[in-house]
Amino acid sequence: MNQQATLIQIKLPDGSTREIPSGSSGMDLAKAISPSLAKKSIALDLNGQIKDLSTILNNNDEVKIICQGDGKSYDVLRHTTSHILAAVVQKKFPNAKVGIGPATENGFFYDFRIDDHKITDEDLVDIEKEMKKFASGAYEIIREEVKDADSKLAEYKAAGEIYKAELLEEHKNSNPTEYYFVDNNGAKIWSDHCAGPHLPNTKFIKSLKLTNVSGAYWRANQENDVMQRVYGTVWWTDEELEQYLKRKEEAEKRDHRKLARTMDLFSSHDIAGAGLIFWHPKLAVVRQELEDFWKKEHRKAGYDFVVTPHIAKSELWDISGHNSFYKDNMYSLKVDEQEYILKPMNCPFHVLIFKDSKHSYRNLPIRMAEMGTVYRNEASGAVHGLARVRGFTQDDAHIFCTREQYVQEIQGVYRLIDKIYSTLGLTFTVEVSTKPEKAIGADEIWDFAESGLKKALSELNVDYELNHGDGAFYGPKIDFKLKDALGRIWQGATIQLDFNLPERFKLEYTNDQNDTSQPVMIHRAIFGSMERISMVLIEHFAGAFPTWLSSEQVVVVPISDKHNDYAQKIAAELVEADVRAKTDLRAERMNYKIRDAQEKQIPYMLVVGDQEMASNSVSVRYRRGDNSVTMSISDFTDKIKAEIKSKALEGGV
């Protein structure tokens, strides 16, 4: 680099700055900091956006060097690996036309159209082998701007790359880029239209595995071509890969759809419609317990419960703005020649309740909560068990408060979320999402809202990640990422600030100057929906719910028919004590009944025979153990009631 070059200042994550010559890239910065850092560097966090290491830096940029193993490194690794998959598939099947190849939560996929071949499991073995060979070639990956988009479009079309041409056509005016694999002689050996970012070299890619192939519509549209989608996973080390494959195997055992069949939890029916859930008695009990727990904690936290209609005139959704930006996701129907909408959200209904009365700063905050069922027109291909449905019940709440109360209310919501998740045995991380590129509201309001969220968390000593530009268009938000027993991450609670609805509905209260002010509106859901939290808990506990949530808490097993009356007496006493108990009087062997109860994940089995009848006792066995303990009926009743009351995550004898 030219020693006379102008120096620029770069801000580093620790708050320090470093001067480097103008025109320096991210890699130049990494080398200037440390040669060892440069060897591990794979990308940049540049002003909150992930970029290639080759990106040229500007004065006062905020830069974090992303290394192998960093949280944000995996998407770069996986997306780059998907391009290697595409290169190998096109070499193996010259007629293959490529679609897209994004990173996913734990891997990647790439879509192909191959008219003369259907990819088999045997093909996957060969493709994976060739991908590893390709990666070991240590090909440099370079980015070039597409200066003549029309010429590039003609090139794609001539090669039959209709999907690449379609994508370039959409982005031709947005500074499109092409990425190339370059061999050691400087020859470009394969390229793809892509926005990046990517690894600087294929040598980083070692621990990969292709997992399966399936069909998919181009761009998820049933009117488009059918593609072959190849899935894979890639990690920085073989150990990470092995651990993931073990988790994947365990996750398949815990799949809530599979457990729903074996445990008789829920169903959906084509004759009723996709994405509409039928809660069977066992899961309905879990839901009822969750709702009761939720209501109790909300009462203690100062919330008032409301109930609102399932439909409203289209005019309401004009005012709220949903008809402008959410129309395709809403169901409509005609009533008395007027258009009505099945509510996709509860927010406008709670706004109307607030607006129906006059308010003073003296009676704020107002906290409204509702288990409100909503309906959204999800694509049929996107519907997935309890995770993605068309009708679901949100544990919704909205807080209307003054600006002075805002930080305190956010902290109250955080404490409530923490209490509920810890009771369920779920840990979480926190993200603060800031103003997106397309947003409403003045900068002053956004600054107030974002600084308030950060202040609320900081005062609670909560660590959080900043998610730049990912807030809702109407306000910033806090997202809670749940971690289950397998280490999988699920979207959990959300706290959102809203400037939009208070303005649209002209909400106001009388302030301490006897003038009118607009309240701050906070949206928040903790479970997200009863469907999603039930799915998370089914898979988190592998169907073995804690005793307080279990639909069947005790089964009494008589050793022979002569013990049936005693078994029924015990079950009746437990039911009277608010314990969910039943008897198993089937003409089966005792050991079979015990195994069956364990498979059904019933927490406690009480075996009764001559000895138990004589001593007015029970032989207690827990579902996860082989040992049994003899207890009096009253002692066992006291034990299980205490376990239920405390909402203990584990039981036992």
Side-chain angles (χ1 to χ4, degrees), residues 487-648:
R488 296 174 299 178
I489 304 300
W490 305 95
Q491 175 62 51
T494 300
I495 307 173
Q496 293 183 336
L497 269 295
D498 189 350
F499 322 130
N500 180 48
L501 291 183
E503 176 61 32
R504 283 178 173 270
F505 284 91
K506 306 302 180 188
L507 301 187
E508 60 183 35
Y509 69 93
T510 303
N511 60 33
D512 58 1
Q513 302 299 312
N514 204 32
D515 199 356
T516 57
S517 293
Q518 190 176 92
V520 174
M521 182 177 180
I522 302 170
H523 301 247
R524 44 114 300 195
I526 299 176
F527 293 151
S529 74
M530 298 309 298
E531 287 72 13
R532 175 170 284 272
I533 195 65
S534 296
M535 177 271 293
V536 170
L537 293 176
I538 290 169
E539 299 200 2
H540 177 62
F541 292 117
F545 295 108
T547 302
W548 72 277
L549 277 178
S550 295
S551 59
E552 298 172 338
Q553 295 168 330
V554 177
V555 59
V556 187
V557 179
I559 292 176
S560 68
D561 288 350
K562 67 179 180 178
H563 308 118
N564 285 356
D565 289 345
Y566 182 63
Q568 289 177 310
K569 171 180 173 290
I570 292 170
E573 290 179 8
L574 289 169
V575 170
E576 186 66 24
D578 288 330
V579 177
R580 292 187 286 275
K582 68 173 189 176
T583 56
D584 188 343
L585 305 181
R586 292 176 297 170
E588 302 285 355
R589 297 184 62 176
M590 179 190 72
N591 288 338
Y592 173 84
K593 294 178 183 180
I594 290 174
R595 285 196 305 273
D596 184 56
Q598 288 174 325
E599 288 176 2
K600 291 177 179 176
Q601 304 292 1
I602 299 173
Y604 289 98
M605 291 139 276
L606 306 184
V607 179
V608 295
D610 289 340
Q611 292 183 357
E612 287 75 24
M613 285 179 61
S615 60
N616 199 33
S617 63
V618 290
S619 180
V620 184
R621 184 167 179 166
Y622 187 60
R623 64 185 165 200
R624 289 179 180 163
D626 295 325
N627 299 327
S628 60
V629 174
T630 299
M631 301 176 68
S632 68
I633 298 172
S634 61
D635 284 350
F636 174 74
T637 302
D638 289 344
K639 168 191 161 44
I640 194 170
K641 286 184 68 176
E643 186 178 322
I644 292 168
K645 183 178 180 180
S646 67
K647 294 182 170 53

Side-chain angles (χ1 to χ4, degrees), residues 145-364:
E145 293 182 6
V146 177
K147 299 191 184 321
D148 186 346
D150 291 330
S151 176
K152 180 63 70 173
L153 276 169
E155 177 187 323
Y156 286 162
K157 291 175 181 178
E161 294 285 11
I162 57 174
Y163 309 110
K164 289 169 72 169
E166 179 181 324
L167 294 170
L168 179 56
E169 184 69 50
E170 290 180 10
H171 298 95
K172 60 187 292 187
N173 298 319
S174 304
N175 301 316
T177 53
E178 186 94 353
Y179 280 81
Y180 294 85
F181 292 120
V182 180
D183 67 18
N184 293 329
N185 296 317
K188 298 175 180 177
I189 58 176
W190 191 84
S191 69
D192 201 359
H193 165 61
C194 188
H198 298 91
L199 299 173
N201 194 291
T202 64
K203 67 183 179 182
F204 292 98
I205 301 170
K206 297 174 183 177
S207 304
L208 72 93
K209 183 173 182 59
L210 297 185
T211 55
N212 62 294
V213 60
S214 69
Y217 292 107
W218 170 238
R219 308 187 85 172
N221 187 333
Q222 296 183 28
E223 303 298 319
N224 291 341
D225 293 342
V226 176
M227 314 288 280
Q228 297 186 61
R229 177 170 291 178
V230 178
Y231 290 91
T233 187
V234 62
W235 299 81
W236 288 113
T237 66
D238 289 343
E239 182 181 9
E240 283 183 307
L241 174 61
E242 183 179 353
Q243 289 174 349
Y244 165 72
L245 294 175
K246 287 181 180 177
R247 289 198 306 271
K248 185 172 183 289
E249 182 181 357
E250 179 63 26
E252 288 171 357
K253 295 177 186 176
R254 292 171 178 247
D255 188 315
H256 73 287
R257 296 165 301 173
K258 183 182 294 185
L259 289 172
R261 291 190 294 271
T262 59
M263 296 179 67
D264 189 25
L265 299 177
F266 71 89
S267 60
S268 59
H269 303 273
D270 289 341
I271 196 171
L276 301 174
I277 301 302
F278 289 72
W279 297 71
H280 293 199
K282 291 180 181 178
L283 192 59
V285 169
V286 176
R287 173 173 174 156
Q288 187 63 57
E289 289 292 333
L290 287 171
E291 288 185 1
D292 289 347
F293 168 51
W294 182 89
K295 288 176 181 176
K296 182 178 180 181
E297 293 303 322
H298 278 71
R299 285 192 191 98
K300 290 192 291 186
Y303 285 79
D304 293 313
F305 298 114
V306 298
V307 180
T308 60
H310 287 231
I311 65 173
K313 289 180 182 179
S314 184
E315 178 185 355
L316 175 68
W317 308 101
D318 286 333
I319 298 172
S320 71
H322 286 83
N323 277 339
S324 298
F325 67 85
Y326 209 70
K327 186 76 172 177
D328 292 342
N329 294 88
M330 301 194 298
Y331 293 103
S332 64
L333 62 158
K334 282 289 181 69
V335 180
D336 296 332
E337 301 304 315
Q338 287 188 308
E339 184 182 28
Y340 279 71
I341 302 293
L342 277 171
K343 66 176 177 180
M345 299 174 187
N346 301 296
C347 331
F349 292 72
H350 293 187
V351 166
L352 290 181
I353 292 176
F354 180 89
K355 192 175 175 64
D356 195 54
S357 303
K358 291 184 177 182
H359 300 282
S360 161
Y361 72 97
R362 296 180 185 276
N363 72 321
L364 297 184

Side-chain angles (χ1 to χ4, degrees), residues 79-102:
H79 179 53
T80 306
T81 305
S82 77
H83 286 296
I84 294 180
L85 168 61
V88 169
V89 166
Q90 286 203 306
K91 181 179 179 182
K92 185 176 178 66
F93 306 109
N95 290 330
K97 308 305 177 190
V98 299
I100 56 173

Side-chain angles (χ1 to χ4, degrees), residues 25 38 41 49 53-54 56 92 118 127 284 295 326-327 366 383 393 418 440 452 482 493 509 529:
S25 67
S41 303
Q49 294 186 311
L53 272 176
S54 60
I56 301 302
K92 185 176 178 66
K118 184 175 182 180
I127 294 169
K295 288 176 181 176
Y326 209 70
K327 186 76 172 177
I366 289 175
V383 170
T393 301
D418 188 36
I440 63 169
L482 298 178
Y509 69 93
S529 74

